[in-house]
Amino acid sequence: MVSTLTSLHLITACSGALVFCFWLYTRRGWRPNLPPGVCGLQGFLNLPSVDGKIWLQILELNRQHGDLASASLLGTHVILIGSAKIAEDLIEKRSVNYSDRPRSVMCGELSGWGKIMLLSNYNDWFRAHRKLFAQEIGSNSTVAKFHRMIEFETRRSLRCILDDPARLQAHVRKNFTSIILRISHGYVTQEGDDPLVELAHTANSQLSMASAPGLYYVDIIPFLKYIPSWLPGAGFKRRAKEYAAVLHDLVEIPHNYVKSQLAAGTALPSFSSRILGKQDLTEELEDNLKWAAATMYQGGADTANSVGYAFYLAMTLHPRVMKKAQEELDSVVGVRRLPTFADRPSLPYLDALVTELLRWHTPAPITMRSTRVDDEYNGYFIPAGSYIFVNIWAMLRDERTYTNPLEFRPERFLGDNPEPHPGSVCFGFGRRRCPGYFIGHSSLWLMCAQALAAFDISKCVENGVEITPEFNLVGEILAHQAPFKCSIKPRSSQAEALVRQEFSLSE
């Protein structure tokens, strides 16, 4: 009896201590020496409202509390980084501690995306995929073998845009997805709508929603993942099941396609066929390959096409830039052929235009990390397990780095004192830097070059009224320019003939 009473007293005392600590935490704002910011329920209720765009919310908090800010609730700490200098100091120079992803119950666990590199922690699984990527597309020299194929797919895309400019966004999406599917699985997309292009688009849309910070309560209260899916409020579990089914198709359908092509002796050279054809193939290596190829397919189908679509918006809004790039193309390449990769070193303004496009449009406005161990920076404590939110969008519009950052001005990257190249920020930091940088950048460059050589891009006129589209980034973790209207016409009959000219993959 005495023992039971003692236990009850101990439980009561511990419960009281926890309640008292919680009261201190939420009412008095007690916490360790974290970076300045908001804490407790009241602080979260007073977060700035900016149309649900998390990168703008983070920007407002950094403006209020500094480039290193924090938000804390119930022992969970979020560290908000708003400057490239701090991101470099922490994410680059201390990358061992800042290379994991925060736990994602909805996306990583319930929906199954945890085996994709984007969501995987920095571990042996991640490193194995990274190594496979490096062997296939890890440098300009490895990507060079795909130049002819990229030219083929780009020309095919230009013809589609010429014939049906109203479906511009779909044509751009198909261009980049076709390129990456040829590399990852040796799959040639069919004319018109292609099922694997649409599958990637659906999967990426679901990925963006499933990984959105704070959208699902199960990411805040993980034990909710164990409740039955039929209970009221458990709609997230039914949605996760739908997401998991789409992801299964994204991984398995192209992988099984390669295996069937290999069995029939008709497989085209690809990342997957090269490894599946090995004599010493193991189950472990095949599983690694299957998910690495799916990562390549998923990633290449989203970020590059997001920037590619924004290119047409940039040219619509900035005709001066378009005309200047076209003048350079005409003087270097002429008008009797379309530009190729061989022309790239002779086109500095076009190169600067693509660089400015990467700064101006941000397909991944934020990147998230998690700390493995406690850390300290400039006197502030960063606890182990903290969620690190790096505001890439804000860094690429920082007035301390870029003059008049809201302007689209390629000239900022030319001359004797160019402004910092955005590649060190927009492609991520440290050990999680985008492994598809070289293929994505090359594909984007050629699309811009050939589109400018072939087309005049301008504002639409409807009922005698010129329509000016808005720059409007929409989405969550993966963002795109909202649909817009523009006019796309061939620059001349000769330019149209060049686009329609037959183009063979064989030299």
Side-chain angles (χ1 to χ4, degrees):
M1 183 69 176
V2 174
S3 176
T4 302
L5 287 173
T6 303
S7 298
L8 286 172
H9 289 152
L10 181 61
I11 292 170
T12 302
C14 289
S15 299
L18 286 171
V19 170
F20 178 70
C21 288
F22 179 70
W23 178 79
L24 279 175
Y25 191 89
T26 57
R27 296 296 182 186
R28 296 185 178 179
W30 178 85
R31 55 187 191 158
N33 189 32
L34 296 171
V38 299
C39 67
L41 185 59
Q42 186 175 1
F44 275 76
L45 291 175
N46 291 324
L47 285 175
S49 177
V50 279
D51 300 327
K53 296 178 179 179
I54 188 171
W55 54 92
L56 296 182
Q57 288 186 319
I58 295 172
L59 175 62
E60 287 301 314
L61 286 170
N62 282 128
R63 282 174 174 169
Q64 293 174 19
H65 303 287
D67 288 332
L68 188 68
S70 67
S72 305
L73 179 66
L74 296 177
T76 298
H77 306 293
V78 179
I79 307 300
L80 310 171
I81 298 177
S83 84
K85 172 66 167 61
I86 295 175
E88 181 181 357
D89 288 347
L90 296 180
I91 314 300
E92 288 278 354
K93 296 179 181 177
R94 306 181 192 182
S95 58
V96 172
N97 192 33
Y98 290 86
S99 293
D100 281 343
R101 290 293 195 204
R103 182 184 181 186
S104 174
V105 180
M106 178 63 182
C107 189
E109 298 172 25
L110 294 178
S111 301
W113 282 92
K115 294 182 79 173
I116 290 285
M117 277 183 69
L118 182 68
L119 272 293
S120 170
N121 274 336
Y122 188 77
N123 49 28
D124 289 342
W125 174 265
F126 180 95
R127 285 187 287 270
H129 288 192
R130 189 90 188 186
K131 183 177 179 180
L132 291 173
F133 267 71
Q135 293 169 353
E136 192 71 14
I137 54 172
S139 66
N140 279 322
S141 59
T142 56
V143 167
K145 64 180 178 287
F146 301 118
H147 280 180
R148 186 75 179 173
M149 180 271 291
I150 295 171
E151 289 182 35
F152 174 83
E153 292 296 349
T154 302
R155 186 75 63 87
R156 189 157 71 126
S157 173
L158 294 181
R159 285 198 297 270
C160 291
I161 294 170
L162 193 61
D163 291 334
D164 189 6
R167 299 190 67 228
L168 172 65
Q169 190 171 23
H171 299 319
V172 171
R173 181 190 306 133
K174 184 180 178 183
N175 178 31
F176 290 106
T177 309
S178 296
I179 289 169
I180 204 64
L181 274 169
R182 288 288 289 259
I183 295 171
S184 63
H185 296 91
Y187 176 83
V188 182
T189 55
Q190 63 191 34
E191 295 299 325
D193 293 335
D194 184 275
L196 289 193
V197 174
E198 295 308 311
L199 175 61
H201 177 55
T202 301
N204 276 317
S205 297
Q206 293 178 352
L207 168 62
S208 184
M209 293 300 295
S211 59
L215 186 61
Y216 295 99
Y217 290 131
V218 70
D219 285 324
I220 302 170
I221 311 171
F223 74 80
L224 289 177
K225 78 177 197 175
Y226 299 110
I227 67 174
S229 58
W230 49 263
L231 276 179
F236 70 91
K237 294 200 74 172
R238 296 187 290 275
R239 183 167 294 179
K241 188 175 181 180
E242 295 172 8
Y243 291 174
V246 172
L247 174 62
H248 175 271
D249 288 347
L250 184 87
V251 175
E252 297 294 341
I253 289 176
H255 182 71
N256 290 334
Y257 167 83
V258 182
K259 293 178 75 171
S260 68
Q261 294 292 298
L262 281 169
T266 57
L268 294 175
S270 71
F271 173 55
S272 294
S273 64
R274 177 173 61 83
I275 296 175
L276 283 173
K278 289 186 174 182
Q279 295 296 319
D280 56 348
L281 181 70
T282 63
E283 270 188 41
E284 180 182 5
L285 178 57
E286 182 176 353
D287 194 49
N288 265 301
L289 163 68
K290 180 168 64 175
W291 284 91
T295 294
M296 190 181 292
Y297 167 31
Q298 168 268 320
D302 190 78
T303 52
N305 89 66
S306 176
V307 184
Y309 185 53
F311 159 77
Y312 283 89
L313 175 68
M315 297 302 96
T316 302
L317 295 175
H318 304 282
R320 177 195 66 84
V321 173
M322 182 184 70
K323 294 299 182 185
K324 191 168 182 178
Q326 288 174 331
E327 288 171 3
E328 181 184 65
L329 281 163
D330 291 347
S331 66
V332 172
V333 179
V335 295
R336 295 184 178 182
R337 64 178 178 88
L338 293 178
T340 69
F341 285 107
D343 299 307
R344 190 170 181 177
S346 304
L347 298 167
Y349 188 80
L350 179 61
D351 223 43
L353 186 156
V354 176
T355 302
E356 176 69 337
L357 187 63
L358 294 172
R359 185 199 68 83
W360 184 72
H361 175 82
T362 314
I366 61 169
T367 186
M368 297 185 294
R369 305 294 177 85
S370 179
T371 49
R372 291 186 174 184
V373 298
D374 291 345
D375 199 6
E376 182 272 335
Y377 183 79
N378 285 352
Y380 291 116
F381 178 59
I382 301 175
S386 294
Y387 288 15
I388 311 297
F389 282 33
V390 184
N391 196 342
I392 291 175
W393 186 93
M395 293 174 191
L396 297 177
R397 286 157 183 76
D398 193 332
E399 293 180 350
R400 297 167 296 184
T401 306
Y402 299 105
T403 306
N404 299 321
L406 299 183
E407 292 182 9
F408 189 88
R409 194 167 59 85
E411 291 84 358
R412 70 175 77 247
F413 300 111
L414 299 171
D416 295 332
N417 296 298
E419 295 180 349
H421 194 288
S424 59
V425 174
C426 67
F427 288 98
F429 298 89
R431 303 181 182 196
R432 301 195 76 103
R433 179 178 167 84
C434 176
Y437 166 82
F438 295 101
I439 189 69
H441 195 270
S442 294
S443 302
L444 178 65
W445 183 90
L446 189 73
M447 186 211 75
C448 295
Q450 294 204 345
L452 285 167
F455 300 144
D456 278 325
I457 305 162
S458 60
K459 297 176 183 178
C460 273
V461 177
E462 293 185 352
N463 300 319
V465 178
E466 188 177 71
I467 299 173
T468 301
E470 294 183 359
F471 180 91
N472 182 20
L473 203 61
V474 296
E476 299 292 342
I477 297 302
L478 304 175
H480 297 260
Q481 166 60 34
F484 64 93
K485 293 182 178 180
C486 66
S487 172
I488 303 173
K489 297 178 180 178
R491 295 180 65 196
S492 65
S493 58
Q494 187 174 28
E496 180 175 357
L498 288 173
V499 170
R500 297 194 183 283
Q501 194 175 63
E502 287 298 319
F503 185 91
S504 173
L505 272 175
S506 59
E507 295 288 353

